[in-house]
Amino acid sequence: MSSTRDFIEKDYYAALGVAKDADAAAIKKAYRQLARELHPDKNPGNTQAETRFKEVSEAYDVLSDAKRRAEYDEARRLFGSGGFRPGAGAPGGFPGGAPGGQPFDLGDIFGGAGAPGGGRAGGLGDIFGGLFTGGAPGGTRSRQQAASGPARGQDVETEATLAFDEAVLGVTVPLRMQSPGTCPTCHGNGARPGTSPHTCPVCNGAGVTSRSQGAFAFSEPCRECRGTGSVVDDPCPECKGSGVTTQTRTITVRIPAGVKDGQRIRLAGKGAPGRRGGPPGDLFVVVHVSGSELFGRSGNDLTLTVPVSFAEAALGTTLTVPTLDGSVSLKVPAGTSSGRTFRVRGRGVHAKGTPGDLLVTVEVAVPARLTPGAREAIEKLAAELPDDPRPEITEVLRSGGAR
Ligand SMILES: [Zn+2]
Ligand SMILES: [Zn+2]
């Protein structure tokens, strides 16, 4: 992976021997030819050829990718021939950057090391973005340009606990979300209200300073103002001068019907707001669904067990059965066995597509204790029931028992 530093120091066009405005086909052709000539298999032990082969490959990697080529061209245009020459051997290294003498990557310094000013408007990313976008409107979007152009808001993940019926039927819930945002007290400039930041005296507001090192000049983010170009004397008490605070907002989201426990649902555009006119991120909600004391769930079907008396099962009855939205009448025909399941269509999970059903299983309840009268009545009943309730088992026993 080539770094910004590579971009500044290396001339990829020269490496391939092509003109700076060479088209993709010319670049490909030049690369193929050089790669054939310089290939290590053809030049065993020739370290010079090997070095050239690597150069050519690296150059082609960058120049064959339109996006990276545009970034490269831009980096060269801005820093390539000028005084900006990050030196690997610079004594003391880069302030705030890599420790003494280590090579560093410009992208890291400008993109990442602005961390203290993080998401703050006017941070290092913005300044670098400004440098990169200057004079190249409508160019290929580079990472640096993205930092100053519209930025999509972050995706946010949160959790919601739903009651069983809410998950089945769908529900609208308020969700409290926390995300960093512009401090409302100082409107993001970091200064105590009534005061204002003043222009940084060190860099005169430029955000960058230059430093001579022998024949070379270095540009670096101003340490006084951390590259923002302004200095706050009296920091905002709310955000301690950072310009950013954690903000809580409550949003109302519709959880679709039929979500399951542990499911992660995506709500497009409900994440953190975009910056500088960018679109908002997405919101992911991990749902926790409480169990129901009454209903079970099997896919999109709901299950319910309803005890019935022997008399109801034998004589038939009409049951009133609860569903998640109102109750329904269920006709149980005479002679219904315990364990029989009836299907109530459309009263299951209200998911998109085919709605689920409610599966009602009747279970004959047997009284644990009998009054003397009940016992007498049942004994009479038993005498009145001639049928063997288990003829198949009787048959097996008669023919010599189960094997
Ligand atoms: Zn503030
Ligand atoms: Zn400054």
Side-chain angles (χ1 to χ4, degrees):
M1 182 67 204
S2 309
S3 66
T4 307
R5 179 165 167 251
D6 288 332
F7 280 10
I8 290 162
E9 293 187 334
K10 295 178 180 173
D11 188 340
Y12 293 146
Y13 293 102
L16 290 178
V18 294
K20 289 197 166 37
D21 58 357
D23 64 13
I27 286 170
K28 194 172 190 175
K29 194 178 162 202
Y31 165 71
R32 287 215 172 141
Q33 186 169 351
L34 285 167
R36 256 198 306 274
E37 286 169 16
L38 297 166
H39 199 279
D41 290 351
K42 278 195 177 174
N43 303 273
N46 183 343
T47 52
Q48 214 180 338
E50 194 183 321
T51 306
R52 273 286 289 142
F53 182 74
K54 281 180 188 160
E55 275 175 13
V56 164
S57 302
E58 183 184 335
Y60 183 68
D61 271 354
V62 173
L63 298 185
S64 60
D65 178 330
K67 182 171 167 280
R68 295 186 67 202
R69 182 180 176 184
E71 286 175 358
Y72 171 70
D73 288 346
E74 190 73 348
R76 294 282 293 179
R77 189 178 68 76
L78 286 162
F79 302 116
S81 54
F84 199 106
R85 288 283 172 80
F94 199 94
Q102 277 196 17
F104 61 89
D105 179 68
L106 269 180
D108 288 342
I109 286 167
F110 284 101
R120 184 173 174 185
L124 289 172
D126 288 333
I127 287 187
F128 198 51
L131 290 176
F132 264 76
T133 44
T140 308
R141 263 180 88 86
S142 68
R143 184 162 74 90
Q144 287 80 4
Q145 282 173 318
S148 72
R152 182 177 176 274
Q154 282 190 320
D155 291 342
V156 179
E157 184 168 304
T158 187
E159 300 186 349
T161 300
L162 307 182
F164 186 82
D165 57 334
E166 292 174 332
V168 167
L169 302 174
V171 65
T172 299
V173 289
L175 292 175
R176 269 164 61 90
M177 311 230 302
Q178 292 197 318
S179 55
T182 304
C183 172
T185 302
C186 63
H187 306 288
N189 70 17
R192 182 183 289 273
T195 72
S196 53
H198 61 84
T199 303
C200 173
V202 174
C203 62
N204 292 320
V208 286
T209 52
S210 34
R211 173 165 76 93
S212 295
Q213 186 78 58
F216 302 123
F218 291 78
S219 281
E220 59 192 34
C222 174
R223 302 191 77 186
E224 179 72 14
C225 61
R226 293 191 308 206
T228 60
S230 58
V231 178
V232 172
D233 288 327
D234 197 0
C236 165
E238 176 89 14
C239 62
K240 310 280 187 287
S242 70
V244 177
T245 54
T246 300
Q247 283 154 31
T248 304
R249 57 195 174 110
T250 301
I251 61 160
T252 304
V253 299
R254 177 74 194 164
I255 306 286
V259 295
K260 297 188 185 76
D261 186 44
Q263 194 175 334
R264 188 168 180 265
I265 58 171
R266 173 174 169 268
L267 297 157
K270 293 284 191 176
R275 282 174 293 128
R276 297 180 293 271
D282 296 336
L283 171 63
F284 292 88
V285 183
V286 177
V287 292
H288 301 290
V289 180
S290 318
S292 165
E293 287 176 10
L294 211 50
F295 298 100
R297 192 166 160 184
S298 168
N300 278 345
D301 292 335
L302 292 182
T303 58
L304 176 66
T305 298
V306 178
V308 293
S309 69
F310 173 79
E312 287 173 326
L315 303 174
T317 185
T318 298
L319 297 172
T320 300
V321 173
T323 74
L324 285 175
D325 47 352
S327 55
V328 291
S329 290
L330 176 68
K331 197 168 154 33
V332 176
T336 292
S337 294
S338 186
R340 182 166 167 192
T341 297
F342 299 88
R343 185 176 289 269
V344 183
R345 298 219 176 264
R347 291 305 187 113
V349 176
H350 293 209
K352 273 191 205 161
T354 337
D357 301 330
L358 173 64
L359 305 178
V360 181
T361 301
V362 295
E363 199 175 77
V364 173
V366 176
R369 275 194 217 159
L370 296 173
T371 60
R375 169 174 288 277
E376 198 180 320
I378 290 172
E379 282 168 355
K380 268 191 184 170
L381 171 67
E384 284 297 320
L385 297 172
D387 289 345
D388 181 353
R390 45 186 171 273
E392 283 147 13
I393 289 175
T394 304
E395 178 55 34
V396 168
L397 293 171
R398 187 178 294 145
S399 64
R403 266 152 291 171

